[in-house]
Amino acid sequence: MYPDIQGKSILITGGSSGIGLGLALNFARNGGKVAITARNAARLEAAITMASAQGLTIKGYVCDVSIAQQVKETVALCAEQNGGLDVLCCNAGVFPSAALCDMTESEWDDVHAVNSKGTFLCVQAAIPWLKQAGHGRIILTSSITGPVTGYPGWAHYASSKASQLGFMRTAALELAKDNITVNAILPGNILTEGLADMGDDYIATMAKSVPLQRLGSVDDIAAAALFFASQAAGYITGQTLIVDGGQILPESSSCIS
Ligand code: NAP
């Protein structure tokens, strides 16, 4: 438990499923005033209903993170309705697969529009509110794919996830004077709805590649986000935390017993 999360206003993009929903539930369990965004209103509503069945209150806002005007309006509305903004989790992301030789310009642009530009738009829109809070926290959901590893079919995705880290380092410098920290979590393979779409073969192969011998859970990622949002992490900025069960460690598959 992180008692200092109590009463904090937290906005999580891509909060209607997977890691984002896991972040939302865990911040709410710790007493945070949690708001989530996503494009699909029905899935947003389903997430809120699911949280409510667990006795947790979460607000939802329909917003596409790749559209500047929507982001600006949504962040402002959320902050006005929740007493400001203390923590922004830039988590919305897409990971379609396309072989490099066949990848179209629009496939490249679409992935960067959500994962990379979406991060920039959300952070920029949140800055005035995080400054006002006096202790703002920005937490990015990046990935091991791109910053550390590669995976066939994900040249655009890997590029967008590495881009988040370049952005993070400069944002951390520019925002430090306002006592706003910017950090990133690099998940390995986390069992989410999005990962399930990759198919059983992908999941079985990945599970075998993890020294801790299981895929990650959304709660594993939420634990890292709670830490970055807490007072305990107040002197950490511009840093990455890999949460992957040791997946990037082996030099060969023979290292995994
Ligand atoms: P997921 O289950 O597919 O959930 C993605 C969420 O993002 C949904 O709420 C989705 O809702 C939202 N979203 C997608 N495009 C959006 C847009 N343009 N604007 C606003 N919301 C949007 O995915 P996940 O596995 O939880 O992944 C979440 C994040 O973790 C992503 O950034 C991903 O790159 C990263 N990650 C995941 C893993 C993994 O193993 N699962 C590993 C490394 C990194 P709508 O579709 O309704 O908008």
Side-chain angles (χ1 to χ4, degrees):
M1 288 292 282
Y2 286 95
D4 47 291
I5 298 300
Q6 183 74 37
K8 292 264 162 50
S9 167
I10 296 140
L11 176 60
I12 300 158
T13 69
S16 63
S17 83
I19 291 173
L21 181 54
L23 298 181
L25 296 173
N26 278 283
F27 274 112
R29 281 183 199 123
N30 279 269
K33 290 185 284 182
V34 175
I36 58 175
T37 72
R39 292 165 304 179
N40 184 298
R43 282 205 294 268
L44 205 52
E45 202 48 51
I48 291 164
T49 305
M50 192 261 252
S52 169
Q54 297 181 27
L56 302 169
T57 303
I58 289 176
K59 287 191 179 135
Y61 302 87
V62 173
C63 173
D64 185 330
V65 296
S66 68
I67 302 175
Q69 193 57 28
Q70 279 188 29
V71 170
K72 221 169 164 184
E73 286 169 11
T74 303
V75 171
L77 185 64
C78 166
E80 280 156 17
Q81 293 184 342
N82 295 295
L85 184 64
D86 300 289
V87 181
L88 170 70
C89 296
C90 291
N91 169 80
V94 289
F95 35 94
S97 182
L100 182 52
C101 289
D102 307 323
M103 190 178 287
T104 64
E105 186 180 354
S106 71
E107 284 172 331
W108 175 273
D109 286 346
D110 289 350
V111 167
H112 283 82
V114 180
N115 299 358
S116 181
K117 186 174 85 168
T119 298
F120 152 65
L121 291 176
C122 292
V123 168
Q124 192 183 53
I127 289 171
W129 305 97
L130 295 171
K131 272 188 188 174
Q132 219 173 79
H135 50 241
R137 300 294 166 86
I138 297 169
I139 303 163
L140 312 181
T141 310
S142 177
S143 176
I144 57 169
T145 311
V148 188
T149 64
Y151 195 80
W154 275 347
H156 47 3
Y157 175 74
S159 163
S160 71
K161 290 286 148 180
S163 143
Q164 285 183 300
L165 300 191
F167 168 83
M168 171 192 75
R169 294 190 180 100
T170 292
L173 278 174
E174 289 194 23
L175 299 176
K177 64 180 183 313
D178 298 305
N179 199 27
I180 297 170
T181 66
V182 194
N183 293 290
I185 300 167
L186 277 55
N189 281 271
I190 310 301
L191 205 43
T192 64
E193 294 85 332
L195 198 79
D197 290 344
M198 299 290 297
D200 292 343
D201 285 352
Y202 174 88
I203 289 181
T205 306
M206 284 304 158
K208 277 194 236 149
S209 314
V210 180
L212 284 178
Q213 300 192 334
R214 66 171 175 87
L215 294 181
S217 72
V218 296
D219 292 339
D220 292 322
I221 305 304
L226 279 162
F227 169 66
F228 276 138
S230 74
Q231 279 172 15
Y235 200 54
I236 301 173
T237 194
Q239 301 304 312
T240 56
L241 181 54
I242 294 174
V243 183
D244 72 341
Q247 188 170 356
I248 64 161
L249 296 176
E251 288 190 16
S252 95
S253 53
S254 65
C255 302
I256 303 174
S257 50

